[in-house]
Amino acid sequence: MTIRHFLRESGENPSPKTGGVPERADIDEKYKWRLEDIYSSLEEWEKVFSEVSARVDKITRFAGTVGESSVSLLSFLREGESVSKELGRLYVYANMKSHEDLRVTRYQEASDKAESLMTRYSASVSFFQPEILALPDGRIDSFLKENDELKIYGFYFSEMLRGKEHILSSREEELLARANEMANVAQNAFTMLTDADIKFPVIKDETGQDIELTEERYYRLSRSPSRDVRRAAFEGIHNTYGLYKNSIGALYAGSVKGDLFYARERKYKNTLDSALFSDNVPESVYNNVVGAAIDNAPFLHRYMSLRKRVLGLDELHFYDLNVPLSEEPQSDIPYEEAVNIVAEALSPLGDDYTGNLKRGFQERWIDVYENQGKRKGAYSWGSYGTRPYVLLNYNGTLRDVFTIAHEMGHSLHSWYSHSNQPQVYADYTILLAEVASTTNESLLLEHLLRTRKEEREKKWLLTYYFDMVRTTFYRQAMFADYEKATHSRAESGEALSPAWLCALWGELCAKYYGSELVIDDSLRMEWARIPHFYTAFYVYKYVTGFTAAGSFAASLLNTQDAGARERYLTFLKSGGSDFSLDILGRAGVDLRSREPFEATLRIFEEKLKMSTDLFFRTNAPNCSNVA
Ligand SMILES: [Zn+2]
């Protein structure tokens, strides 16, 4: 029950074009999500909260009983599911209501209450897993055989028991649990240092105004058309991290040592094996991500050349990578039209899908416009037993149309999974979380490239896609490569000094971006500002998600592939009912093979070729002027 995705970096959230931001009360009801389908009012919420709270207190009565018989096991599972379903509804309702207007504090208070109740619930049912793991071998199997209603829990229990060999004695588990807070110090200290203590310098923006750098402002400034501004922002951020390189290096080394400690104590082959275990992903998949990116790095090099040429630069630096190659078309697409564009772009998914999509639009799953106090950005959220709601701050740009397609991708995935799976498998894993949203974006991109006639729009669309490949595939694969190198070094007993980390970063940048990119000293510090590195071996999932989405979109658009639609719907309906790679495999995307990764980058190459024409044809007038 986490917010699936905070889609856009806050720097990209556009401000309204004209006039002031309206108060929520002045926005037409039809553009507001219908949260009253969850609870009619905060009073009803309070009533349900008290009931659930009482049930949470009583749930410990099941402790010591779950291994007794299949009937007692089933009663606990039923009660647990029923309570957690209501907890989810309480929590998302309070949060989404507070996001309507963050100035209204009573929903924030409700959300805090719901959160502590969830913590109490987790503590109350913490007996469950140890009791199951302590049962004699075969006990769960015999329960599943004798009780038909338990049968659906087969995969759930086999997953729980699969991890048994990595569970230690209860005394050891207790020690590990108590050491956990210390193990988290590196990450917590990194967050405190970077969010609270580090002060970045003041630079001049495009208008000559002083602006204090922050991580939040960096993204916007890195897209500035003024090279002086983006260089100052880049150097200001990275050189500041450089001042703390010994402290941050020590924190990162501490985090890696923590990974090592847990992997060894829990008897995994190594840290990577330990990180991949929960998704049951073989190491070869991780290696395919990195291998495909390196072997196809020449395509990224070509993109770097294209950037350099289009921007007319003598030298390409890292601070030239985010600036748009073509300005975002100043469009003012009415929301209703955006909805139609998305529905049309997603028509390869078939009538059932587009029918549900339209239903979402009509039944008010979506909170469309910005209003005073509303939370920024966009997300899709909900819980088992609610509709999948979408928060937008729709402003009429092409980017906003992509946001609708993306978030509705999440929502429809949840809708199909929740409607076709029992509660225990209703949620999909993180590994699958961005597949449906990115598939929708890919379909929309192809649709717009086919239907938009203006050259400026086509250029913008292609750059949007290139930067997605650069940041979601290559950049994350490079991060994955880095994490593998740092952990291997630590595993062989060598130190992770800041000098070594900077050198490694420089080498990786040269390998991935190629000789067109000048590797500035400031760039060698970039490793120090990536918070993801404190959750080791996570970022490769961005690459697998992006790749799976690209494969789905390609087969859905392939008119020869008659079964593509059915296979895709099977994927959407599967929730978390099996291992993620098997769910994808059954739907026709085999991430255990290298092929889908290669295919994704071949599409990148094709589009690069297409764009060379487009970008340099437009420059022709300059030449004819000379003539
Ligand atoms: Zn997303």
Side-chain angles (χ1 to χ4, degrees):
M1 273 176 303
T2 49
I3 293 192
R4 288 262 173 251
H5 190 58
F6 294 105
L7 178 64
R8 306 293 169 194
E9 295 189 47
S10 52
E12 262 190 277
N13 191 47
S15 50
K17 287 198 190 83
T18 49
V21 178
E23 286 294 337
R24 189 165 180 84
D26 297 329
I27 291 180
D28 194 326
E29 284 297 306
K30 70 176 177 186
Y31 299 116
K32 295 181 195 166
W33 53 18
R34 212 164 66 192
L35 299 186
E36 54 272 32
D37 285 350
I38 312 178
Y39 302 114
S40 60
S41 62
L42 194 55
E43 288 63 47
E44 193 195 350
W45 185 96
E46 292 285 0
K47 202 173 133 266
V48 175
F49 180 89
S50 312
E51 290 161 12
V52 175
S53 181
R55 288 172 71 191
V56 167
D57 290 337
K58 282 193 223 137
I59 205 157
T60 44
R61 71 184 185 278
F62 290 96
T65 70
V66 292
E68 281 172 4
S69 70
S70 64
V71 174
S72 53
L73 177 59
L74 188 63
S75 342
F76 168 74
L77 290 168
R78 290 262 162 87
E79 177 64 4
E81 284 183 346
S82 162
V83 169
S84 60
K85 177 176 170 182
E86 211 53 70
L87 275 171
R89 287 162 55 87
L90 287 166
Y91 185 66
V92 298
Y93 175 85
N95 274 281
M96 290 192 291
K97 283 304 277 183
S98 85
H99 295 165
E100 290 179 351
D101 189 342
L102 297 165
R103 299 168 302 178
V104 181
T105 55
R106 61 179 189 277
Y107 291 110
Q108 187 53 52
E109 287 156 15
S111 153
D112 292 345
K113 274 171 68 178
E115 199 174 341
S116 9
L117 187 54
M118 280 161 70
T119 311
R120 248 170 65 206
Y121 172 74
S122 301
S124 307
V125 297
S126 62
F127 67 85
F128 179 60
Q129 190 167 342
E131 279 189 29
I132 295 295
L133 292 174
L135 292 177
D137 286 349
R139 175 76 63 91
I140 289 292
D141 274 348
S142 63
F143 283 175
L144 293 175
K145 275 194 199 101
E146 73 181 45
N147 192 328
D148 278 349
E149 288 170 275
L150 266 181
K151 284 209 166 59
I152 55 158
Y153 296 95
F155 177 68
Y156 171 75
F157 282 115
S158 76
E159 258 308 82
M160 200 182 277
L161 296 169
R162 186 172 69 92
K164 197 171 174 178
E165 59 177 305
H166 301 293
I167 305 281
L168 310 178
S169 72
S170 58
R171 171 68 186 143
E172 287 167 322
E173 282 296 328
E174 197 189 320
L175 279 175
L176 288 189
R178 278 161 48 190
N180 214 23
E181 265 183 79
M182 288 185 282
N184 287 336
V185 166
Q187 180 168 24
N188 293 340
F190 175 79
T191 309
M192 293 315 277
L193 185 66
T194 53
D195 287 2
D197 290 345
I198 288 187
K199 289 282 170 267
F200 297 102
V202 172
I203 63 163
K204 298 266 184 228
D205 72 5
E206 299 84 355
T207 60
Q209 297 278 322
D210 283 348
I211 178 162
E212 188 182 340
L213 278 174
T214 61
E215 277 283 357
E216 288 70 36
R217 288 173 182 169
Y218 173 61
Y219 181 71
R220 183 176 64 77
L221 293 162
S222 76
R223 295 168 61 84
S224 170
S226 156
R227 204 172 190 215
D228 289 341
V229 171
R230 39 184 216 263
R231 184 198 295 123
F234 169 77
E235 288 175 352
I237 291 283
H238 291 85
N239 295 349
T240 305
Y241 280 104
L243 300 175
Y244 300 89
K245 68 178 174 199
N246 294 307
S247 312
I248 300 179
L251 290 176
Y252 181 61
S255 176
V256 173
K257 279 182 189 151
D259 299 335
L260 233 74
F261 170 75
Y262 283 101
R264 281 180 182 155
E265 294 307 320
R266 292 201 178 281
K267 305 185 188 77
Y268 289 99
K269 215 169 77 203
N270 52 38
T271 46
L272 181 58
D273 180 43
S274 147
L276 298 179
F277 183 83
S278 63
D279 285 309
N280 200 26
V281 167
E283 200 178 322
S284 57
V285 172
Y286 195 90
N287 294 335
N288 280 341
V289 164
V290 174
I294 293 173
D295 291 348
N296 295 287
F299 302 151
L300 183 62
H301 304 172
R302 216 180 292 166
Y303 177 45
M304 294 296 108
S305 304
L306 177 82
R307 269 201 159 264
K308 188 174 155 187
R309 252 181 96 190
V310 174
L311 295 171
L313 300 170
D314 293 339
E315 281 186 347
L316 185 78
H317 290 259
F318 197 75
Y319 47 80
D320 299 318
L321 296 196
N322 285 338
V323 61
L325 292 185
S326 167
E327 229 176 285
E328 181 166 5
Q330 276 308 312
S331 41
D332 205 350
I333 305 164
Y335 176 67
E336 280 72 13
E337 191 187 328
V339 163
N340 288 334
I341 295 173
V342 170
E344 210 182 310
L346 301 184
S347 62
L349 294 169
D351 293 343
D352 191 68
Y353 188 95
T354 45
N356 282 316
L357 179 78
K358 285 175 188 157
R359 188 170 163 194
F361 290 131
Q362 281 153 12
E363 291 183 359
R364 291 173 42 208
W365 296 1
I366 307 171
D367 206 70
V368 179
Y369 293 112
E370 187 179 16
N371 61 249
Q372 291 285 349
K374 181 170 162 179
R375 190 193 172 286
K376 303 279 178 246
Y379 65 68
S380 163
W381 203 18
S383 183
Y384 189 72
T386 74
R387 292 169 200 286
Y389 293 97
V390 167
L391 177 137
L392 299 176
N393 279 277
Y394 185 78
N395 205 25
T397 62
L398 264 182
R399 190 180 291 277
D400 288 344
V401 183
F402 275 95
T403 305
I404 297 175
H406 183 106
E407 301 305 341
M408 287 307 273
H410 287 305
S411 283
L412 269 290
H413 191 181
S414 299
W415 176 256
Y416 276 104
S417 283
H418 289 192
S419 329
N420 288 280
Q421 291 296 330
Q423 188 177 344
V424 61
Y425 306 129
D427 287 328
Y428 38 79
T429 61
I430 302 272
L431 200 89
L432 298 178
E434 290 303 326
V435 176
S437 55
T438 316
T439 302
N440 281 8
E441 282 207 62
S442 306
L443 291 173
L444 177 61
L445 180 89
E446 295 299 339
H447 173 74
L448 292 173
L449 282 173
R450 266 197 321 275
T451 53
R452 306 302 268 204
K453 297 286 173 249
E454 254 194 76
E455 215 158 76
R456 221 159 40 113
E457 285 192 338
K458 278 192 199 294
K459 281 188 193 169
W460 183 84
L461 289 165
L462 283 168
T463 314
Y464 181 84
Y465 166 76
F466 294 151
D467 286 329
M468 209 149 87
V469 178
R470 173 174 69 83
T471 56
T472 315
F473 200 118
Y474 286 107
R475 184 170 162 81
Q476 306 304 328
M478 183 183 125
F479 286 6
D481 207 349
Y482 168 86
E483 293 189 273
K484 214 181 157 194
T486 55
H487 283 78
S488 301
R489 185 172 169 90
E491 275 158 4
S492 66
E494 288 177 86
L496 298 179
S497 70
W500 187 83
L501 294 170
C502 289
L504 171 66
W505 200 261
E507 279 165 32
L508 290 171
C509 286
K511 190 158 71 169
Y512 282 76
Y513 294 104
S515 56
E516 285 289 19
L517 187 80
V518 178
I519 312 288
D520 292 305
D521 273 346
S522 314
L523 179 57
R524 292 177 215 277
M525 275 317 303
E526 202 194 8
W527 58 270
R529 57 179 282 259
I530 312 294
H532 263 127
F533 291 156
Y534 293 82
T535 311
F537 302 118
Y538 176 89
V539 294
Y540 85 95
K541 297 181 191 188
Y542 291 114
V543 185
T544 51
F546 185 74
T547 299
S551 305
F552 279 131
S555 22
L556 286 160
L557 291 170
N558 177 0
T559 47
Q560 310 295 312
D561 191 346
R565 184 180 294 170
E566 235 6 86
R567 291 199 308 270
Y568 186 68
L569 289 180
T570 311
F571 154 68
L572 293 183
K573 289 174 186 169
S574 295
S577 58
D578 201 345
F579 294 121
S580 307
L581 291 187
D582 294 326
I583 288 176
L584 290 172
R586 268 198 300 281
V589 178
D590 180 12
L591 289 186
R592 290 188 177 91
S593 99
R594 173 99 170 235
E595 176 47 28
F597 300 102
E598 298 279 347
T600 303
L601 297 177
R602 278 200 302 273
I603 298 175
F604 177 54
E605 190 204 9
E606 278 164 29
K607 289 209 161 48
L608 269 177
K609 278 187 191 148
M610 188 170 149
S611 70
T612 312
D613 267 9
L614 187 68
F615 277 101
F616 297 112
R617 197 171 55 220
T618 333
N619 286 348
N622 290 332
C623 306
S624 57
N625 284 346
V626 176

